[in-house]
Amino acid sequence: TTDEDGVLLSDDAVIDQMLGMLRASSDSITGSLSVAVHHLARLPEWQERLRERSRSLGSSALNSEDLKLLQEHDLFFFEAMRMFPVAPQLFRRSVRDCEFKDYLIPAGTQVVVDVGYIHRSSRYWTEASTFDPMRFAAPRLEHKRQKYQWLPFGAGAHNCIGQFFAVLLAKNVLHHLLRRYSFELTDAHDFELVLVPATYPKDGLKLRVEPLS
């Protein structure tokens, strides 16, 4: 790729961009995977469903075409990010004077978008408090009802540069975990999250993990 003057980026510049993407995707992966694996343990029918799909691909390493076949892994990870977004608040500044519900917001004002509220609003989601990965599948496609109702990676010019890498890596991790282990909750109520500055389990992810034969 090139810079704004049309000059090819140097190797160091490309490496810096890649490191930025890896850093940007790491929080999305770790926080959302913790939530996803917790729900795999809580929902054994989904755990087995995803495991069988992973087994159907055989034992070789995943390639890009294999990843496209793990569509149910996508749905499950997307729902984990909806229920517990890694970045539950987005901070922006208004670029011009505007008015919202009779409140004047001057240009340059810092505003906060409550992603957690939007992701759980019954205005946009069917049974919003229920963990339901199929809401992302056709024909429902609930996340496409409004442009800005699903915001796990932000939106607009400042959305997360690592979003696509995060999803690909999360699918890869889920695939290999499910082929090797089963997960069971030690206490269904022992799952408290820290939400600021990013979402992660307060006391670690407490599960019983058993190797599969």
Side-chain angles (χ1 to χ4, degrees):
T1 191
T2 61
D3 62 19
E4 59 271 17
D5 297 320
V7 179
L8 281 173
L9 295 181
S10 67
D11 288 350
D12 286 342
V14 172
I15 290 170
D16 285 343
Q17 291 290 331
M18 294 298 294
L19 289 174
M21 183 184 71
L22 290 170
R23 285 193 294 267
S25 64
S26 62
D27 284 340
S28 299
I29 292 169
T30 53
S32 297
L33 269 177
S34 295
V35 173
V37 174
H38 168 81
H39 281 86
L40 283 176
R42 194 175 68 83
L43 302 169
E45 67 279 8
W46 268 98
Q47 182 177 163
E48 192 57 31
R49 180 173 176 173
L50 298 187
R51 180 176 291 116
E52 287 303 311
R53 187 68 182 127
S54 288
R55 283 173 171 167
S56 72
L57 299 183
S59 58
S60 59
L62 292 177
N63 57 39
S64 59
E65 294 303 312
D66 292 331
L67 285 167
K68 293 177 184 178
L69 298 175
L70 296 178
Q71 296 173 350
E72 291 175 320
H73 294 57
D74 273 331
L75 305 180
F76 202 88
F77 189 62
F78 290 170
E79 180 68 340
M81 290 190 290
R82 182 191 72 85
M83 291 287 286
F84 301 100
V86 171
Q89 296 177 331
L90 301 178
F91 294 87
R92 298 289 187 266
R93 286 191 183 277
S94 55
V95 296
R96 59 181 179 272
D97 292 347
C98 57
E99 189 175 304
F100 178 75
K101 292 188 175 181
D102 298 326
Y103 286 94
L104 177 63
I105 303 175
T109 302
Q110 179 170 280
V111 295
V112 179
V113 179
D114 191 338
V115 176
Y117 176 82
I118 295 170
H119 279 193
R120 297 208 180 199
S121 172
S122 58
R123 180 177 180 179
Y124 306 116
W125 307 94
T126 303
E127 297 183 7
S129 60
T130 300
F131 191 91
D132 179 11
M134 295 308 295
R135 70 175 76 249
F136 290 92
R140 291 169 63 182
L141 299 175
E142 292 186 10
H143 60 304
K144 295 187 177 182
R145 290 175 175 173
Q146 301 285 341
K147 186 176 182 180
Y148 296 113
Q149 75 175 65
W150 190 60
L151 304 165
F153 298 107
H158 298 284
N159 66 334
C160 178
I161 191 176
Q163 59 179 306
F164 299 110
F165 183 74
V167 173
L168 290 174
L169 185 53
K171 288 169 67 173
N172 214 317
V173 171
L174 287 174
H175 169 78
H176 288 291
L177 285 176
L178 287 162
R179 287 177 55 86
R180 290 168 170 78
Y181 306 101
S182 65
F183 306 94
E184 181 182 344
L185 294 181
T186 56
D187 184 344
H189 302 289
D190 190 14
F191 187 62
E192 186 175 352
L193 294 170
V194 173
L195 300 179
V196 178
T199 300
Y200 62 91
K202 180 179 179 180
D203 298 315
L205 185 60
K206 298 179 181 179
L207 299 173
R208 181 174 292 107
V209 181
E210 295 286 348
L212 298 170
S213 58

